[in-house]
Amino acid sequence: MAKYTEMTRQELTEEMAGLLARYGSFKARGLKLDMSRGRPGADQMDLSRALFHQIDEDPQSHRADFKNATGIDCRNYGGLDGLPELKKLFGDILGVAPEQMIVAGNSSLHLMFDTISQAMSAGLAGCEPWLLQGGVKFICPAPGYDRHFAMCEYFGIEMLTVDMTDTGPDMDAVEKLVQDPSVKGMWVVPKYSNPEGITCSDETVRRIAALRPAAKDFRVFWDNAYAVHHLEDEGDGLLNIYDECVKTGNEDLVFQFVSTSKITFPGAGIAAEAASPANIAELKKRMSFQTIGPDKLNQLRHARMFRTEADVEAHMRRHAQILRPKFQAVLDRMEQELTGKGIAEWTRPKGGYFISLNVLDGCAKRVEALCKEAGMALTAAGATYPYGKDPRDRNIRIAPTFPAVEEMRLAAELLCIAVRLAAVEKLLD
Amino acid sequence: MAKYTEMTRQELTEEMAGLLARYGSFKARGLKLDMSRGRPGADQMDLSRALFHQIDEDPQSHRADFKNATGIDCRNYGGLDGLPELKKLFGDILGVAPEQMIVAGNSSLHLMFDTISQAMSAGLAGCEPWLLQGGVKFICPAPGYDRHFAMCEYFGIEMLTVDMTDTGPDMDAVEKLVQDPSVKGMWVVPKYSNPEGITCSDETVRRIAALRPAAKDFRVFWDNAYAVHHLEDEGDGLLNIYDECVKTGNEDLVFQFVSTSKITFPGAGIAAEAASPANIAELKKRMSFQTIGPDKLNQLRHARMFRTEADVEAHMRRHAQILRPKFQAVLDRMEQELTGKGIAEWTRPKGGYFISLNVLDGCAKRVEALCKEAGMALTAAGATYPYGKDPRDRNIRIAPTFPAVEEMRLAAELLCIAVRLAAVEKLLD
């Protein structure tokens, strides 16, 4: 395959004609495709239909069994930090003691927001509230998750971008930044990162655990959204961050987040937060003023469906079976259309929900616009960077999970045409 | 019956001997009674067992119907402000348009907390965050709901107590207090108030709606926890606060809260918030950073169980049938043992979850202690006042819902003995 960067204007013009013809015929089809968000597909949600009858009524007695293993009537008030079974299960998944888990409602994002909100208005570890300290900053490895960045913007937290490397956040940069006492936090998606699918190496985890931030109330927000979300039988391993923190005497450094949104139901799963005993006590104190307790019936459904970590793993293998062909459809098409042209690089993640595609500098927004014009929604170009601004305008997050495989094939082809077209346009400009 | 206050020391001493004998025999029974919290009983929760099979799997197709009336797959992400059916239903109950409703998770307390939290860290109506303004105060009608007061304490909001009258908060006092620009809020349980069961009169509602607070970001937190929770067929009526606010050009004044915690399941119901379009836009903006959406499956269960307001009303009549004898057991016993003795006054609410009992000044803590010693938990004396301090140490909140009727009879008898004993002790002191 010829490199676009080595083509003559004549060759590029001919290439463009062919691409425009293909693009035109795509446009004429009036497609409606969506690769914008990491939503599980209906086929994946069908895997969890057993959740609907975990609390069934006995036809004889007309009574449903709504008590958990320890005899709690899950319909009533109480149980601030969740059912013991789920504290155990999530604790097993994250490798922490059940007492270090808070099992809550349907959204881990909500838990992150509430944790930051607590830091803003009440403070952490006996320090002044962040809002009163003023000028609070967060370290934001990028490309990253747009909702993390949006949350910082909402709270007026200044974002300091550091690069993602193949082994996780650029730790040289991070280690320097934490010397500033106004740097109070850092986002990390440690496993199958959004959007690149990168898993932090052991060394990166150890360096994070060994950070010595100037601010006593600095915290790592460890969003382990894809903890068990492997695409291959041999998934990535991730070192236990809490154990490493304990080794370095840094156990209060990290808040961990996890959820079943992409295990059972995105809107009706269970989210949980893990932290050191001191951090958990601080979180629970706030929660005791905020709520009487979570929806324990939905927790009970989950506890019955997943008795052990092995149940979760078996379930996730069924997800992977559905997702692999969708990811493969995108990767195959990109391989076929983009390899060797010098205009794109992409990741081949072993898990998670995204493929990250870097196009020629200055072309991502154009690719997005071309796709949109032909009826396909992509995640907004720039969204993977703080303030929605990709400094090189090159990163595109591909979310291949929601459409069916056939649609995914179409979507991938359109995407590749748009990437090539944008590149030719740029080179001819 | 003889008034204790008119008895001689001799008579009081004899009275005491008889009471001590009864008290002693109660203690000897090793009872374990609980009148402390407004928890529905198991019999009440059994009324909602239909919730468990609102989303059933079809045995033929093995598919459950998880789509709502407008075709939303309730399993997936999205729907920030809740299902349209429930926005309509809660809107009907509160008398506001569906667009003015946010239907959320399982806890209205959580919605109140998040609303105050937003005011603290981001501000309301374009004003500075409360935390940065400093010295924020709330008007707290008392006796009132302990969790409201606790929330103020958590956020460092100074509480200004005003008396509850038979027609609601003492509005003369309220109208004066809102002239202070640091007064930012006011708690109201407008119907069947906690603990007294008082419903705001039309005049009180109109005076609240006509308030002209000095602070632009002053808000009334209208916790309509017992909106449909009548004990009698003829319940109290409550004027529509939002309509009154519109009439006085004050539509942004009020945040309203409601939930099904005491309609379906305390821990697994649905909570909602109502406000003006401008307020709703402000709340939704924050929520868009906080979550992708609520648990729509549990919302769907509720929407199917309650198609109309009339369905809710019919359901609440079944609750009332269960609750009336429990309330009556307490009222009968108090009537029998306390009337005419000049040592106690109590309310006879037409709805809600509590009976409020005022004993002789300085005796509430003693009554609590006596009950505790004999194996019965009461709501902590003082809890119905800001900072947990009842200035006259006389108010006791009785929660008759959770125990069975037979237990309730025992509990009421023990309570009456304790009230009489504490009074005699005081008069002999």
Side-chain angles (χ1 to χ4, degrees), chain A residues 2-5 7-20 341-343 359-360 363 366-367 370 416-429:
Chain A
K3 274 204 171 176
Y4 277 19
T5 42
M7 281 187 182
T8 63
R9 288 192 71 82
Q10 174 65 24
E11 285 168 328
L12 285 170
T13 308
E14 281 164 23
E15 180 77 9
M16 191 171 197
L19 290 166
L20 280 175
K341 294 199 168 59
I343 58 169
V359 296
L360 279 192
C363 285
R366 179 62 183 151
V367 170
L370 283 167
C416 288
I417 294 170
V419 169
R420 292 171 65 178
L421 205 45
V424 173
E425 284 175 358
K426 184 186 161 159
L427 293 168
L428 280 174
D429 191 36

Side-chain angles (χ1 to χ4, degrees), chain B residues 264-409:
Chain B
T264 57
F265 298 139
I270 303 293
E273 182 164 4
S276 70
N279 282 338
I280 288 287
E282 226 173 35
L283 294 173
K284 278 201 217 170
K285 189 190 160 197
R286 180 251 309 160
M287 289 168 59
S288 72
F289 294 96
Q290 184 177 28
T291 183
I292 309 180
D295 179 344
K296 294 185 299 299
L297 285 176
N298 204 35
Q299 293 197 356
L300 183 61
R301 289 183 191 97
H302 282 77
R304 286 179 177 167
M305 184 150 151
F306 303 118
R307 307 267 169 178
T308 65
E309 212 186 334
D311 290 346
V312 176
E313 284 160 6
H315 187 76
M316 294 315 291
R317 281 193 289 275
R318 292 188 278 272
H319 277 286
Q321 276 177 2
I322 293 172
L323 290 180
R324 263 196 309 269
K326 296 184 180 183
F327 277 73
Q328 204 55 52
V330 179
L331 292 168
D332 286 351
R333 175 55 69 169
M334 295 203 296
E335 184 72 28
Q336 182 187 331
E337 296 224 25
L338 303 179
T339 302
K341 294 201 169 56
I343 58 168
E345 291 178 332
W346 57 94
T347 58
R348 289 163 192 81
K350 286 191 182 166
Y353 262 60
F354 303 101
I355 295 167
S356 179
L357 170 67
N358 282 332
V359 296
L360 278 193
D361 282 20
C363 286
K365 277 188 193 302
R366 179 61 183 151
V367 171
E368 184 197 352
L370 284 166
C371 288
K372 190 177 173 191
E373 223 183 298
M376 177 160 83
L378 286 180
T379 306
T384 53
Y385 282 80
Y387 307 106
K389 283 179 193 152
D390 174 358
R392 296 173 64 178
D393 182 28
R394 65 167 185 168
N395 186 249
I396 290 170
R397 184 181 82 163
I398 302 171
T401 56
F402 191 70
V405 178
E406 267 320 302
E407 270 187 298
M408 211 52 238
R409 292 212 174 92

